[in-house]
Amino acid sequence: MIHRGGARRTNCGPRPAGRLSEAAQFFRNWTEKPMQLGSVTPSSRILSKVMASHVDPASVGPVVEIGPGTGPITQALVEHGIAEERLVLVEFSLEFCDLLARRFPRAQIVQGDAYALAQTLEGKLAGKAAAVVCGLPLMTRPEAQRLDLLAQAFTLMQPGAPFVQFTYALTSPIPTRDAFFTWKGSPRIWRNVPPARVWTYTQLSMN
Protein backbone atom coordinates (compact mmCIF):
# COMPACT_ATOMS: atom_id res chain seq x y z
CA MET A 1 0.00 0.00 0.00
CA ILE A 2 1.75 3.13 -1.21
CA HIS A 3 0.45 6.66 -0.97
CA ARG A 4 1.81 9.70 -2.71
CA GLY A 5 0.15 12.95 -1.78
CA GLY A 6 -3.54 12.15 -1.44
CA ALA A 7 -3.59 9.37 -4.03
CA ARG A 8 -3.07 5.66 -3.64
CA ARG A 9 -0.41 4.11 -5.84
CA THR A 10 0.38 0.54 -6.75
CA ASN A 11 3.97 1.44 -7.70
CA CYS A 12 6.32 4.13 -6.53
CA GLY A 13 8.91 4.70 -9.19
CA PRO A 14 11.12 2.42 -11.27
CA ARG A 15 12.41 -0.83 -9.84
CA PRO A 16 16.17 -1.08 -9.30
CA ALA A 17 18.19 -3.28 -11.62
CA GLY A 18 17.69 -7.00 -11.07
CA ARG A 19 20.44 -8.01 -8.65
CA LEU A 20 21.54 -4.63 -7.39
CA SER A 21 22.11 -5.10 -3.67
CA GLU A 22 20.39 -2.87 -1.14
CA ALA A 23 23.76 -1.54 0.03
CA ALA A 24 24.74 -0.70 -3.54
CA GLN A 25 21.40 0.99 -4.13
CA PHE A 26 21.81 2.96 -0.90
CA PHE A 27 25.31 4.04 -1.98
CA ARG A 28 24.06 5.10 -5.39
CA ASN A 29 21.35 7.23 -3.82
CA TRP A 30 23.90 8.67 -1.40
CA THR A 31 26.17 9.80 -4.23
CA GLU A 32 23.20 11.63 -5.74
CA LYS A 33 21.83 13.09 -2.46
CA PRO A 34 24.49 12.93 0.30
CA MET A 35 22.83 15.57 2.50
CA GLN A 36 19.51 13.74 2.35
CA LEU A 37 20.89 10.34 3.37
CA GLY A 38 23.70 11.48 5.66
CA SER A 39 25.60 8.17 5.64
CA VAL A 40 27.25 6.19 2.87
CA THR A 41 25.82 2.90 4.22
CA PRO A 42 22.47 1.78 5.68
CA SER A 43 22.13 1.49 9.46
CA SER A 44 23.85 -1.58 10.86
CA ARG A 45 21.94 -4.49 12.32
CA ILE A 46 23.07 -3.71 15.87
CA LEU A 47 22.05 -0.04 15.58
CA SER A 48 18.72 -1.02 14.03
CA LYS A 49 18.03 -3.44 16.90
CA VAL A 50 18.75 -0.74 19.49
CA MET A 51 16.41 1.64 17.67
CA ALA A 52 13.64 -0.97 17.56
CA SER A 53 14.07 -1.86 21.23
CA HIS A 54 12.62 1.51 22.22
CA VAL A 55 9.23 0.64 20.68
CA ASP A 56 6.92 -1.44 22.87
CA PRO A 57 5.42 -4.34 20.86
CA ALA A 58 2.49 -4.40 23.31
CA SER A 59 1.59 -0.79 22.51
CA VAL A 60 -1.51 -0.01 20.45
CA GLY A 61 -1.63 2.09 17.31
CA PRO A 62 0.50 2.72 14.24
CA VAL A 63 4.28 2.93 14.38
CA VAL A 64 5.65 5.59 12.06
CA GLU A 65 9.14 5.34 10.60
CA ILE A 66 10.48 8.34 8.75
CA GLY A 67 13.43 7.96 6.40
CA PRO A 68 13.45 4.14 6.33
CA GLY A 69 15.71 3.99 3.26
CA THR A 70 16.24 0.34 2.32
CA GLY A 71 14.53 -0.86 5.51
CA PRO A 72 17.13 -2.09 8.04
CA ILE A 73 15.35 -0.44 10.97
CA THR A 74 11.99 -1.52 9.54
CA GLN A 75 13.20 -5.12 9.55
CA ALA A 76 14.42 -4.75 13.13
CA LEU A 77 11.01 -3.42 14.17
CA VAL A 78 9.31 -6.47 12.63
CA GLU A 79 11.79 -8.82 14.32
CA HIS A 80 11.17 -6.98 17.61
CA GLY A 81 7.50 -7.91 17.40
CA ILE A 82 5.89 -4.92 15.68
CA ALA A 83 3.29 -6.27 13.25
CA GLU A 84 4.07 -5.21 9.69
CA GLU A 85 0.49 -3.99 9.28
CA ARG A 86 1.11 -1.38 11.99
CA LEU A 87 4.03 0.22 10.15
CA VAL A 88 3.64 3.52 8.33
CA LEU A 89 6.83 4.23 6.38
CA VAL A 90 7.44 7.79 5.22
CA GLU A 91 10.10 7.88 2.50
CA PHE A 92 11.03 10.62 0.03
CA SER A 93 12.96 8.50 -2.48
CA LEU A 94 10.80 6.86 -5.13
CA GLU A 95 13.33 4.05 -5.57
CA PHE A 96 13.34 3.29 -1.85
CA CYS A 97 9.53 3.37 -1.80
CA ASP A 98 9.47 0.69 -4.47
CA LEU A 99 12.01 -1.42 -2.59
CA LEU A 100 10.11 -1.06 0.70
CA ALA A 101 6.85 -2.05 -0.99
CA ARG A 102 8.44 -5.31 -2.07
CA ARG A 103 10.17 -6.01 1.25
CA PHE A 104 7.20 -5.07 3.46
CA PRO A 105 4.04 -5.60 1.39
CA ARG A 106 1.70 -5.29 4.39
CA ALA A 107 3.13 -1.96 5.57
CA GLN A 108 1.65 1.38 4.53
CA ILE A 109 4.21 3.33 2.54
CA VAL A 110 3.81 7.08 2.11
CA GLN A 111 6.01 8.89 -0.38
CA GLY A 112 6.55 12.44 0.79
CA ASP A 113 8.51 15.01 2.73
CA ALA A 114 9.13 13.96 6.33
CA TYR A 115 9.96 17.54 7.31
CA ALA A 116 6.33 18.36 6.48
CA LEU A 117 5.26 15.33 8.49
CA ALA A 118 1.83 16.52 9.64
CA GLN A 119 0.83 17.37 6.08
CA THR A 120 2.40 14.25 4.58
CA LEU A 121 0.49 11.98 6.98
CA GLU A 122 -2.78 13.91 7.01
CA GLY A 123 -5.64 11.40 6.85
CA LYS A 124 -3.27 8.41 6.68
CA LEU A 125 -2.98 7.34 10.33
CA ALA A 126 -5.53 5.06 11.97
CA GLY A 127 -5.28 6.79 15.33
CA LYS A 128 -2.43 8.35 17.27
CA ALA A 129 0.99 6.79 16.73
CA ALA A 130 2.54 4.55 19.38
CA ALA A 131 6.01 5.71 18.33
CA VAL A 132 7.89 7.62 15.67
CA VAL A 133 11.24 6.15 14.64
CA CYS A 134 13.47 8.49 12.66
CA GLY A 135 16.41 7.58 10.43
CA LEU A 136 16.90 11.03 8.93
CA PRO A 137 20.30 12.77 9.22
CA LEU A 138 18.94 15.57 11.39
CA MET A 139 22.32 17.20 12.00
CA THR A 140 22.39 18.30 8.35
CA ARG A 141 19.34 20.49 8.98
CA PRO A 142 19.00 23.83 10.83
CA GLU A 143 18.08 23.56 14.52
CA ALA A 144 14.70 25.22 13.96
CA GLN A 145 13.77 22.60 11.38
CA ARG A 146 14.74 19.74 13.70
CA LEU A 147 12.63 21.17 16.50
CA ASP A 148 9.72 21.70 14.14
CA LEU A 149 9.88 18.07 12.98
CA LEU A 150 9.74 16.87 16.59
CA ALA A 151 6.84 19.20 17.37
CA GLN A 152 4.93 17.90 14.34
CA ALA A 153 5.60 14.32 15.38
CA PHE A 154 4.25 14.97 18.87
CA THR A 155 0.94 16.15 17.39
CA LEU A 156 0.59 12.71 15.73
CA MET A 157 1.62 10.64 18.76
CA GLN A 158 -0.02 9.29 21.87
CA PRO A 159 0.91 10.95 25.19
CA GLY A 160 4.19 9.51 26.40
CA ALA A 161 5.01 7.86 23.06
CA PRO A 162 8.72 7.97 22.12
CA PHE A 163 10.37 9.71 19.21
CA VAL A 164 13.45 7.59 18.51
CA GLN A 165 16.44 9.01 16.64
CA PHE A 166 20.05 8.03 16.07
CA THR A 167 23.06 10.21 15.44
CA TYR A 168 26.78 9.85 14.83
CA ALA A 169 27.37 13.03 16.83
CA LEU A 170 28.25 13.01 20.52
CA THR A 171 25.41 15.36 21.46
CA SER A 172 21.65 15.26 21.04
CA PRO A 173 20.58 15.90 17.42
CA ILE A 174 17.57 17.81 18.80
CA PRO A 175 18.59 20.98 20.65
CA THR A 176 17.68 20.59 24.33
CA ARG A 177 17.81 24.17 25.57
CA ASP A 178 14.34 25.47 26.52
CA ALA A 179 13.08 21.98 25.68
CA PHE A 180 9.38 21.08 25.45
CA PHE A 181 10.35 17.42 25.85
CA THR A 182 12.40 15.02 27.94
CA TRP A 183 15.32 13.18 26.39
CA LYS A 184 17.67 10.29 26.99
CA GLY A 185 20.73 9.14 25.08
CA SER A 186 22.09 5.61 24.83
CA PRO A 187 25.70 4.60 25.39
CA ARG A 188 27.80 4.88 22.24
CA ILE A 189 27.28 1.91 19.92
CA TRP A 190 30.85 1.13 18.92
CA ARG A 191 29.95 -1.82 16.70
CA ASN A 192 28.20 0.52 14.28
CA VAL A 193 30.37 2.17 11.59
CA PRO A 194 30.65 5.00 12.34
CA PRO A 195 29.81 4.68 16.07
CA ALA A 196 26.37 6.03 16.90
CA ARG A 197 24.03 6.87 19.76
CA VAL A 198 20.27 6.45 20.00
CA TRP A 199 18.21 9.23 21.55
CA THR A 200 14.59 9.10 22.68
CA TYR A 201 12.38 12.15 23.14
CA THR A 202 9.05 12.34 24.93
CA GLN A 203 6.70 15.31 25.06
CA LEU A 204 6.38 17.02 28.41
CA SER A 205 2.99 16.57 30.05
CA MET A 206 0.74 19.57 29.72
CA ASN A 207 -0.77 18.93 33.16
Side-chain angles (χ1 to χ4, degrees):
M1 181 187 302
I2 302 176
H3 296 269
R4 185 181 183 190
R8 181 171 179 171
R9 291 166 54 93
T10 56
N11 196 359
C12 201
R15 291 181 182 276
R19 300 198 175 191
L20 183 65
S21 72
E22 292 169 22
Q25 185 177 347
F26 192 96
F27 178 75
R28 186 178 68 187
N29 279 40
W30 180 85
T31 60
E32 297 171 353
K33 310 163 200 170
M35 295 299 285
Q36 182 177 313
L37 295 180
S39 173
V40 70
T41 57
S43 302
S44 73
R45 183 171 177 80
I46 183 65
L47 175 57
S48 298
K49 288 179 68 174
V50 175
M51 293 280 285
S53 72
H54 290 282
V55 183
D56 183 2
S59 61
V60 177
V63 173
V64 176
E65 183 184 355
I66 52 182
T70 59
I73 298 173
T74 316
Q75 182 62 40
L77 287 166
V78 172
E79 292 174 358
H80 183 57
I82 306 299
E84 193 175 308
E85 292 83 358
R86 295 178 61 193
L87 294 173
V88 180
L89 311 179
V90 180
E91 174 56 53
F92 188 78
S93 164
L94 292 170
E95 273 194 313
F96 287 163
C97 280
D98 188 61
L99 174 62
L100 292 164
R102 288 183 283 120
R103 287 196 66 191
F104 308 100
R106 294 187 297 278
Q108 179 181 359
I109 300 167
V110 180
Q111 193 279 326
D113 183 4
Y115 289 98
L117 190 63
Q119 179 180 350
T120 298
L121 289 179
E122 186 175 2
K124 296 183 175 66
L125 293 182
K128 293 286 189 177
V132 172
V133 180
C134 182
L136 299 175
L138 294 188
M139 296 297 264
T140 66
R141 297 287 180 142
E143 288 189 356
Q145 194 169 26
R146 296 179 236 163
L147 288 165
D148 180 65
L149 172 61
L150 184 62
Q152 289 184 69
F154 283 156
T155 67
L156 303 173
M157 297 162 67
Q158 301 168 15
F163 182 100
V164 187
Q165 172 72 43
F166 79 88
T167 183
Y168 303 123
L170 294 174
T171 59
S172 169
I174 304 286
T176 57
R177 59 183 178 277
D178 302 320
F180 53 89
F181 50 85
T182 60
W183 66 93
K184 184 176 181 180
S186 75
R188 204 145 180 79
I189 303 169
W190 295 104
R191 290 170 61 191
N192 192 73
V193 181
R197 296 181 74 186
V198 173
W199 292 79
T200 55
Y201 305 92
T202 307
Q203 187 172 25
L204 288 172
S205 172
M206 302 302 292
N207 295 332

